[in-house]
Amino acid sequence: MPSIQHSARGHARREEIVRAAIEVIAERGYRGASLAAVAEKAGLSQQGLLHYFRSKEDLLIGVLQWRAETDTGGRDIVADPMSLAATQGVVEANAHREAIVRTFSALLGESVTGDHPAAEYFRIRYRRVREAMTATLRLEWGDRLPSGLTPEEAAPLVVAIMDGLQYQWLHEPESFDMPAAFKAFVRLLDPKAAP
Amino acid sequence: MPSIQHSARGHARREEIVRAAIEVIAERGYRGASLAAVAEKAGLSQQGLLHYFRSKEDLLIGVLQWRAETDTGGRDIVADPMSLAATQGVVEANAHREAIVRTFSALLGESVTGDHPAAEYFRIRYRRVREAMTATLRLEWGDRLPSGLTPEEAAPLVVAIMDGLQYQWLHEPESFDMPAAFKAFVRLLDPKAAP
């Protein structure tokens, strides 16, 4: 018999807990979040929650992995890179999922403070995302972008734009048009792109 | 007689407290920082600290204002915009002041969580910094950048690049070359800029 963690019901329950954790972290940050608050929001006892995630850190990794899978649909984006149009699609989708973007941005900020449990995750993630973005840009333009930059030079800029625009958007979600800003950046990469 | 807060000695003491707060926030974030820890690092009693900053929130605003003045030398960057070269100079200077960048990036992350005392500061700061950057770009290129973008379209991208690159750099300060990455972005803005 499969363990409860790996059964379909266990999987659904883990996702419920992750969604509850996203809401709690968006409100209070990771350091301010308690397992008790997550359990209560998910309609479980704290013991019940610990059945699915062994610790607060384990739950944090669960949240970050769930977010990464939501972005990429689980594909290996280094071996099988997304197109730039698909990247634009991720930015557009993010503009409709404020809670997860808020949680991600809060965790990214916390992760630069002393000994944060997500620091290693973000360090490795950045290397991997830059590598994937390099592959995306090479797929689009070969070894030189229209601006003369190499894919390796441009990749960290795409990543920085995505992270940076999220903060401007989260502070004014009603009036700051994040997808339009990203589209303007794509026109910097390729002045021939449609305005 | 001037009050202690406004005397030269009071000013120097306030700066010592702000520097101590920057170190404590870089380590624990704002929510995790205590006035007791800041006071101890500054060599003051908590009562002594409260003589200079009335509350933890007052100290937070002190840190953010001190950081902004460090970047701009106190000039009004909307009325008297910096050149793009001076902006590049800020990025280069930031690469030599890790603690303040770490504190700023941690506060930016925290500021998107529920009812954070720095949320209003960042909302207003973003409007102002985009306005200042629009003036910088207009000074450099007039109403159209070489890429065809307007200064208004490009300004939020410059701000996003500065914020976003800081996170990549803070996670790998030894190996990620933040000034070189910003310089590559300037080449996107102006393909004729020197590589």
Side-chain angles (χ1 to χ4, degrees):
Chain A
M1 231 180 96
S3 75
I4 190 162
Q5 283 91 334
H6 296 97
S7 70
R9 187 157 154 255
H11 189 83
R13 185 47 71 95
R14 277 174 70 91
E15 185 168 328
E16 277 167 36
I17 297 169
V18 162
R19 286 178 184 273
I22 286 166
E23 286 182 47
V24 173
I25 296 171
E27 192 57 33
R28 311 183 195 175
Y30 171 74
R31 284 211 176 91
S34 70
L35 285 181
V38 174
E40 192 189 333
K41 201 175 270 289
L44 284 169
S45 68
Q46 199 166 327
Q47 270 311 314
L49 188 154
L50 290 168
H51 197 71
Y52 296 91
F53 294 94
R54 283 164 310 167
S55 63
K56 193 175 156 188
E57 295 192 11
D58 196 23
L59 177 55
L60 174 66
I61 299 307
V63 166
L64 291 166
Q65 284 175 343
W66 187 83
R67 194 261 182 190
E69 277 166 33
T70 306
D71 269 14
T72 61
R75 73 200 275 179
D76 178 342
I77 53 173
V78 176
D80 176 20
M82 297 169 90
S83 67
L84 204 57
T87 307
Q88 167 93 35
V90 170
V91 175
E92 275 158 20
N94 281 341
H96 295 282
R97 46 187 184 220
E98 190 178 319
I100 179 80
V101 174
R102 199 169 284 280
T103 298
F104 173 84
S105 299
L107 288 174
L108 176 56
E110 265 188 59
S111 73
V112 305
T113 61
D115 294 328
H116 194 278
E120 184 64 12
Y121 174 89
F122 277 108
R123 184 158 40 244
I124 292 169
R125 175 186 174 275
Y126 271 135
R127 286 188 199 159
R128 197 168 164 72
V129 172
R130 283 194 298 259
E131 205 184 330
M133 195 49 69
T134 300
T136 291
L137 296 169
R138 183 157 277 121
L139 190 68
E140 204 85 26
W141 286 297
D143 289 338
R144 287 279 167 189
L145 275 69
S147 57
L149 266 65
T150 62
E152 283 76 9
E153 286 173 314
L157 304 178
V158 183
V159 178
I161 280 285
M162 293 175 82
D163 290 345
L165 289 178
Q166 287 178 357
Y167 290 106
Q168 292 181 62
W169 173 65
L170 288 169
H171 278 298
E172 289 189 289
E174 310 287 302
S175 60
F176 187 81
D177 188 340
M178 178 164 72
F182 188 78
K183 215 169 167 189
F185 177 72
V186 172
R187 283 167 58 212
L188 278 187
L189 292 179
D190 180 8
K192 280 179 238 129
Chain B
M1 233 180 94
S3 74
I4 190 163
Q5 284 90 336
H6 295 97
S7 69
R9 188 158 154 256
H11 189 83
R13 184 49 68 95
R14 277 174 69 90
E15 185 169 328
E16 278 168 34
I17 297 168
V18 163
R19 286 178 185 274
I22 287 166
E23 286 183 48
V24 173
I25 296 171
E27 191 57 35
R28 310 183 198 176
Y30 171 75
R31 284 210 176 91
S34 70
L35 286 181
V38 174
E40 193 190 331
K41 201 175 270 286
L44 285 169
S45 69
Q46 200 167 326
Q47 270 311 313
L49 187 155
L50 289 168
H51 197 70
Y52 296 91
F53 293 95
R54 285 165 309 168
S55 64
K56 192 176 156 188
E57 295 192 12
D58 196 24
L59 177 55
L60 174 66
I61 299 307
V63 165
L64 291 167
Q65 284 175 344
W66 187 83
R67 194 262 182 186
E69 279 167 29
T70 306
D71 269 13
T72 62
R75 73 200 277 178
D76 178 341
I77 53 173
V78 176
D80 175 20
M82 297 170 90
S83 66
L84 204 58
T87 307
Q88 166 95 33
V90 170
V91 176
E92 275 159 21
N94 281 342
H96 295 282
R97 44 188 186 221
E98 190 177 319
I100 180 78
V101 175
R102 198 170 285 281
T103 297
F104 173 84
S105 299
L107 288 173
L108 176 56
E110 264 187 61
S111 73
V112 305
T113 61
D115 294 327
H116 195 276
E120 185 63 11
Y121 174 90
F122 277 107
R123 185 159 39 243
I124 293 168
R125 175 185 175 277
Y126 270 134
R127 287 189 199 159
R128 201 171 161 70
V129 172
R130 283 194 297 258
E131 206 183 329
M133 194 50 67
T134 300
T136 292
L137 296 169
R138 182 157 278 120
L139 190 70
E140 204 87 26
W141 286 296
D143 289 337
R144 287 280 168 188
L145 276 69
S147 56
L149 266 65
T150 63
E152 284 76 8
E153 286 173 314
L157 304 180
V158 184
V159 179
I161 280 286
M162 292 176 84
D163 290 345
L165 289 178
Q166 287 177 357
Y167 290 106
Q168 292 181 60
W169 172 65
L170 288 169
H171 277 297
E172 288 190 290
E174 312 286 304
S175 61
F176 187 80
D177 189 339
M178 178 166 70
F182 187 77
K183 216 170 166 188
F185 176 72
V186 173
R187 284 165 60 210
L188 277 187
L189 290 179
D190 180 8
K192 280 181 237 128

